[in-house]
Amino acid sequence: GSFCSGFDLSSKHSSSSTSSGENTFFTTAYALQMTALMHKNMLKLHRMDLVSIAAVDGFALGGGCELMAWCDLRVMSKEAKAGFLQTKMGVVTGWGGATRLRTMVSPSHALQLLSSPRIMNSKECFESKLATHIGDANSASSMDIVERDVFNRDWVDAYPLAIRNMKKLTQCGIAGDGIDLEKMLANEQRVFCGLWGGKDNIEAVANSKMKQPIKNIPLMTIVIFFFLRYSGYFVLAPPCHSFLAKQPQRESYRAKL
C-alpha cells in the first residue's frame, strides 16, 4: 500500500484529449491549474494552527513525498519508503516540495534530496531530516509510533495550547531567514510548467506506462482535509484519512480511531 504515491502519470488522464484530438493533459494550462491547487492547499496545511503529522506506512513517492514534507512531524514505520521521483519523470516538484525543503535544510542538502529519484528507506529519511520519527522492531505501524513517541513521550507533559503557539513561533522564524514562501512557490510553478509536457516528461511517462504502477490514491482524498477546520492535532495516515481529537485536557493526546 501507499501513504500517497503522488500524481499517477500513467493514468488514463495522461491520454485525455479534446474532440479535435488535442491532448489536454500535457499543457501549460493543466500544469498551472494543478500546481495552483496544490500550492494553495500545502500552504493551508503548513499555516494552520494545528500541528500536522504525516503517519507514513508503505510508499510516499513524488508528490506524496512532497505532501509528507509539508507536515510538521513526519513519522515513518520501519518498512515505509519515500523519495522525490520528479527528476526521473523529467520535471521538478509540482506540489511545493522544493520550497518546503528550503525551510527545513540547506540549499545543497535540498538539492541532494531533490535531484536523486532514488527511493529511500525510513532510516535514510531520518538521517536526511525528511523524517522526524521512525519505527523499530517494536512498532508495527506509523500510528503506533505516533502514539508511543509523540503523544506518550514527546508531548506527554506538554499543554496543547502551548504546543500550537510554539508552531506559530517557529513559523515566524521562516520570514526572518529571508524565505518568501509565495515567491519561491511562484518560481517553482514557473519552472514546473516549463518542463511539464516537454520531451523528457513525455518520454518518461511513456516508459512508466510499460511498468506496473504502484497503487495510487485519488487526489481528492488528500485535498479534501485541507479545507476543514479542527482543534487539536491533525494526522495524515494511510490512506490519507485524518485521525483527529480535541484537546480539552493534557491527558487527551490520543486519536479517536
Side-chain angles (χ1 to χ4, degrees):
S2 298
F3 167 77
C4 175
S5 54
F7 199 94
D8 188 359
L9 290 173
S10 65
S11 71
K12 63 180 181 179
H13 300 293
S14 63
S15 302
S16 60
S17 60
T18 63
S19 56
S20 61
E22 180 184 1
N23 188 293
T24 58
F25 186 77
F26 292 110
T27 62
T28 300
Y30 189 96
L32 283 170
Q33 182 183 28
M34 176 177 66
T35 52
L37 172 67
M38 295 311 296
H39 288 180
K40 175 183 177 181
N41 287 296
M42 293 303 166
L43 283 177
K44 282 181 179 287
L45 173 64
H46 179 64
R47 287 172 171 166
M48 67 179 180
D49 64 351
L50 310 182
V51 176
S52 58
I53 305 173
V56 182
D57 292 301
F59 292 94
L61 304 177
C65 195
E66 296 182 71
L67 170 62
M68 169 185 162
W70 277 104
C71 291
D72 298 312
L73 301 180
R74 300 163 299 279
V75 181
M76 299 180 69
S77 67
K78 184 179 180 181
E79 304 303 322
K81 299 181 186 297
F84 295 97
L85 306 185
Q86 286 82 356
T87 56
K88 187 176 182 180
M89 302 308 298
V91 293
V92 296
T93 47
W95 294 3
T99 296
R100 171 57 174 159
L101 281 186
R102 279 295 290 110
T103 70
M104 297 165 57
V105 299
S106 68
S108 59
H109 191 171
L111 177 60
Q112 179 186 10
L113 287 172
L114 293 168
S115 62
S116 172
R118 188 172 63 86
I119 298 176
M120 301 178 288
N121 60 37
S122 59
K123 182 179 179 181
E124 292 174 305
C125 289
F126 182 76
E127 291 173 347
S128 68
K129 300 183 180 179
L130 187 57
T132 58
H133 301 74
I134 57 174
D136 52 33
N138 298 318
S139 55
S141 70
S142 57
M143 285 303 297
D144 292 334
I145 306 164
V146 169
E147 184 164 349
R148 182 192 69 188
D149 293 351
V150 180
F151 299 154
N152 296 329
R153 186 193 68 186
D154 296 351
W155 292 353
V156 66
D157 293 322
Y159 286 93
L161 184 59
I163 292 175
R164 292 170 64 176
N165 279 277
M166 281 296 187
K167 174 175 178 175
K168 293 179 181 179
L169 291 179
T170 56
Q171 283 195 345
C172 287
I174 293 175
D177 293 335
I179 298 175
D180 186 325
L181 293 181
E182 278 79 5
K183 185 175 181 180
M184 290 189 68
L185 285 172
N187 184 57
E188 192 169 336
Q189 181 183 51
R190 178 183 60 80
V191 176
F192 178 85
C193 291
L195 294 172
W196 181 262
K199 178 179 177 296
D200 292 343
N201 185 214
I202 297 294
E203 181 179 291
V205 171
N207 291 336
S208 72
K209 289 183 177 181
M210 300 177 187
K211 303 175 183 179
Q212 180 66 30
I214 296 170
K215 186 178 180 181
N216 201 12
I217 296 171
L219 187 61
M220 283 307 299
T221 62
I222 305 166
V223 176
I224 190 67
F225 300 118
F226 301 164
F227 292 99
L228 306 179
R229 292 179 180 271
Y230 299 100
S231 61
Y233 58 84
F234 185 93
V235 183
L236 287 178
C240 285
H241 293 311
S242 59
F243 295 82
L244 308 162
K246 295 185 178 180
Q247 317 301 332
Q249 300 176 346
R250 296 169 65 188
E251 297 78 16
S252 63
Y253 268 124
R254 184 178 301 273
K256 296 178 180 178
L257 303 181

